[in-house]
Amino acid sequence: MHDAHATPPDLPETTLPPGRRGAAGAAYTWLKREILSGRMRPGQTLSENEIASQMGVSRTPVREAIIRLESEGLLNVRPQVGTVVAPIDLDQVADGQFLREAIECRSARLAAGRVRPADARELKSLLRDQARAVARNDQAGFIALDDRMHQHIVAMAGRPNVWRAVEDVKAQLDRVRVLSLEDPSWLAAVLAQHEAIVRHVLEGDGNAASKAMEAHLRTVFSSIDAIADERPEYFRGDPVASRSGTPPEPPPPKPARRNP
Amino acid sequence: MHDAHATPPDLPETTLPPGRRGAAGAAYTWLKREILSGRMRPGQTLSENEIASQMGVSRTPVREAIIRLESEGLLNVRPQVGTVVAPIDLDQVADGQFLREAIECRSARLAAGRVRPADARELKSLLRDQARAVARNDQAGFIALDDRMHQHIVAMAGRPNVWRAVEDVKAQLDRVRVLSLEDPSWLAAVLAQHEAIVRHVLEGDGNAASKAMEAHLRTVFSSIDAIADERPEYFRGDPVASRSGTPPEPPPPKPARRNP
DNA sequence: ACTTCTACACTAGTATACAAGCATACCGGT
DNA sequence: ACCGGTATGCTTGTATACTAGTGTAGAAGT
């Protein structure tokens, strides 16, 4: 009974088709991308019916996607009222920053003691590619390479799947990030920080690697206050929201009845 | 089947925002407690229909609960096949351990530099209560106080809501913990470690506090291997699962057709 | 006796219908 | 003019019906 012989090689214990499992998975992926890309803005209302008809499915899979995104903190569902893209909570962003620092600094420290030749090659290769992306002013490409480098350092620490947890908190941070217009000089500065991190890791200096990682993460974080001051309408619990600047969308106060 | 004296459908309609709202929230809370308490064992199959009829609701809210628990890693849903309580993955447990160490060690380090009088009083009070719980051999009470102490240290670090993230990973670790029979001597040892952590925090020695926290967390973690060897049927990807020990449940191969 | 095929029960996924709550426009009273 | 009750259209929550896929029992064929 309960034989274990059926498991060895072929039984894929994945059980988690990463993002896409049917219509619900498609809805989840699509909605998440809309939110993280900034196309759906913080505070914007959603309609299950609208999204469902727009995607050509029923409410059920859309609801499933919404439930998952709510548990990730990207949506706020108010029963019997409506669903909105979660306004950015500065306190929550700070929590995410804290978590990233805790995880990635520790990873960098451990990675410094476990450098294998393949790791050194990979990190150097990533730095080269990043330099090329900076030279071409390719922001999207640079960001992708940035993520891969951070992920590889976590993997070097021996816990590759921890990156999933980082991705969850990173989502909140990235939502702020896309609000800032990242200029080329910023890219170059980030590249220099990456080079410092890799240097310390390859030298086996865990303490310095951790410190460099902390400084790096905080550089990105430091720009948030400026953004919150510039776009208060996207943030929650912001006492400075009194200034009557540009509203989220020009004049969409047409949500009244549609059949007069 | 079985129906192990579990709390029957308890529908508290009160849960508005903080707890979980509606029937879906009730199903979520009930299922999660069943899993974390160990009443539902790793690998055990679930049936949406069965749970729904047991709770007196339809499949829909049960499905919502299952979706959320799956995203927390407590359930595995195999499309068109069935849903099972997630087998304990040793690698995943190690990930959780890594995250707890990263978060709580950093918290302890920061807390050591931010001790306010109220914090000192609270920590000392918690230690006193814990000592009393040990003296009375009150495991449940001790565990509750243990959680409160860890939570307070995280709050002292300035990020009280980060504890939510800890709770998520802690769920995986606690699932293993309930499999081990915790004897009184173990409680006393844990209390001593708590005292060491608090002492270093109150002394303002962040480094020592972090180290003490790490040692503390690893003590709990170290018992896992023994449990995995003792109860291989609850674990996944365990090469030692060949021994024909006690099966998860005596002989419940009754899932055949019900209408011959 | 063993293997292969087939039918069926059971699963989760999806679609649809209904119920309940809230906000707002409208309208009648003051 | 102002205030308050009411109707209506929206929202999410829940129930139910149906679809499609999977594993297994059991029969049929070898």
Side-chain angles (χ1 to χ4, degrees):
Chain A
M1 295 287 196
H2 75 288
D3 43 57
H5 65 274
T7 52
D10 210 311
L11 202 284
E13 53 221 87
T14 65
T15 63
L16 287 180
R20 308 179 176 183
R21 186 172 61 193
Y28 171 81
T29 303
W30 181 75
L31 268 176
K32 185 164 186 174
R33 194 145 51 192
E34 288 293 304
I35 296 169
L36 294 184
S37 69
R39 281 190 292 271
M40 282 185 175
R41 310 193 189 186
Q44 179 174 343
T45 68
L46 299 187
S47 166
E48 293 181 356
N49 277 314
E50 215 170 296
I51 295 174
S53 62
Q54 197 170 332
M55 294 192 64
V57 296
S58 78
R59 274 180 59 206
T60 310
V62 174
R63 258 185 82 75
E64 175 166 340
I66 288 176
I67 290 165
R68 287 164 61 184
L69 290 168
E70 187 204 15
S71 71
E72 292 180 32
L74 293 176
L75 292 180
N76 289 154
V77 178
R78 275 128 46 168
Q80 268 58 356
V81 175
T83 302
V84 300
V85 178
I88 297 171
D89 186 328
L90 287 181
D91 210 59
Q92 211 170 332
V93 173
D95 288 340
Q97 176 69 15
F98 178 89
L99 289 171
R100 262 203 100 169
E101 284 182 17
I103 297 168
E104 298 209 44
C105 289
R106 192 177 187 84
S107 294
R109 170 174 275 117
L110 292 178
R114 300 160 150 252
V115 182
R116 300 178 312 161
D119 296 320
R121 265 184 283 126
E122 174 71 6
L123 290 177
K124 288 176 183 171
S125 168
L126 284 168
L127 283 183
R128 265 201 314 270
D129 294 344
Q130 286 173 15
R132 268 196 285 263
V134 171
R136 280 177 301 158
N137 202 20
D138 176 10
Q139 291 190 18
F142 182 84
I143 288 177
L145 292 165
D146 172 275
D147 279 356
R148 280 181 56 191
M149 204 196 83
H150 282 266
Q151 182 176 5
H152 191 81
I153 289 174
V154 171
M156 284 175 66
R159 308 248 54 90
N161 290 324
V162 161
W163 183 250
R164 291 172 190 268
V166 176
E167 277 181 324
D168 281 349
V169 304
K170 210 168 74 66
Q172 293 284 348
L173 302 177
D174 285 350
R175 227 149 57 97
V176 183
R177 197 171 167 183
V178 300
L179 291 178
S180 75
L181 306 175
E182 313 180 299
D183 54 87
S185 67
W186 183 83
L187 286 187
V190 169
L191 176 58
Q193 291 173 337
H194 282 181
E195 286 167 342
I197 293 170
V198 169
R199 183 169 63 249
H200 290 130
V201 167
L202 295 185
E203 287 171 353
D205 189 343
N207 251 314
S210 175
K211 284 290 178 191
M213 178 67 82
E214 182 173 331
H216 170 48
L217 292 173
R218 293 203 174 168
T219 293
V220 184
F221 182 63
S222 64
S223 61
I224 287 182
D225 283 346
I227 299 171
D229 186 58
E230 209 169 309
R231 291 283 178 77
E233 61 272 16
Y234 294 154
F235 292 77
R236 158 159 52 189
D238 201 4
V240 85
S242 57
R243 43 189 284 185
S244 60
T246 55
E249 284 195 273
K254 267 290 195 202
R257 66 163 64 179
R258 296 175 186 176
N259 188 14
Chain B
M1 61 161 69
H2 52 68
D3 178 43
H5 43 279
T7 64
D10 197 312
L11 283 181
E13 194 63 40
T14 68
T15 54
L16 198 61
R20 309 299 188 185
R21 57 188 180 275
Y28 171 82
T29 303
W30 181 74
L31 268 175
K32 185 165 186 174
R33 195 146 52 192
E34 289 294 303
I35 296 170
L36 293 184
S37 70
R39 282 191 291 272
M40 281 184 175
R41 310 192 193 187
Q44 180 174 342
T45 67
L46 299 186
S47 165
E48 293 182 355
N49 279 311
E50 213 171 296
I51 295 174
S53 60
Q54 270 186 26
M55 296 193 62
V57 296
S58 78
R59 275 180 58 205
T60 311
V62 174
R63 259 186 78 77
E64 174 167 340
I66 288 176
I67 289 165
R68 287 163 61 183
L69 289 168
E70 188 205 13
S71 71
E72 293 181 30
L74 293 175
L75 292 179
N76 289 154
V77 179
R78 275 126 50 167
Q80 324 301 3
V81 175
T83 302
V84 300
V85 178
I88 298 171
D89 186 327
L90 288 181
D91 208 59
Q92 210 171 334
V93 174
D95 287 340
Q97 176 68 15
F98 177 88
L99 289 171
R100 263 203 99 169
E101 284 182 18
I103 297 168
E104 298 210 43
C105 290
R106 192 177 187 87
S107 294
R109 169 175 275 117
L110 292 178
R114 299 160 149 252
V115 182
R116 300 177 313 161
D119 295 321
R121 265 185 283 124
E122 173 72 5
L123 290 178
K124 287 176 183 171
S125 169
L126 284 168
L127 283 183
R128 266 200 313 271
D129 294 344
Q130 286 173 15
R132 269 196 283 264
V134 171
R136 280 177 301 159
N137 202 20
D138 177 10
Q139 290 191 18
F142 182 84
I143 288 177
L145 291 165
D146 173 275
D147 279 356
R148 281 181 54 192
M149 204 196 83
H150 283 266
Q151 182 177 4
H152 191 80
I153 288 174
V154 171
M156 285 174 65
R159 309 248 55 89
N161 290 325
V162 160
W163 183 251
R164 292 172 190 269
V166 176
E167 277 180 325
D168 282 348
V169 304
K170 210 168 74 66
Q172 293 284 349
L173 302 177
D174 285 351
R175 226 148 58 97
V176 184
R177 198 170 166 183
V178 300
L179 291 178
S180 76
L181 306 176
E182 313 180 298
D183 54 87
S185 67
W186 183 83
L187 286 187
V190 170
L191 175 58
Q193 291 173 336
H194 282 180
E195 286 167 342
I197 293 170
V198 170
R199 183 168 64 248
H200 290 130
V201 167
L202 295 185
E203 286 171 353
D205 189 342
N207 252 312
S210 175
K211 284 289 179 189
M213 179 66 82
E214 182 174 333
H216 170 48
L217 292 173
R218 294 204 173 166
T219 294
V220 185
F221 183 62
S222 64
S223 61
I224 287 182
D225 282 346
I227 298 172
D229 186 57
E230 209 169 309
R231 291 285 177 77
E233 61 273 14
Y234 294 153
F235 292 78
R236 158 159 51 188
D238 201 4
V240 84
S242 57
R243 43 188 285 186
S244 61
T246 55
E249 284 196 90
K254 262 300 204 207
R257 64 165 63 178
R258 295 174 189 178
N259 188 13

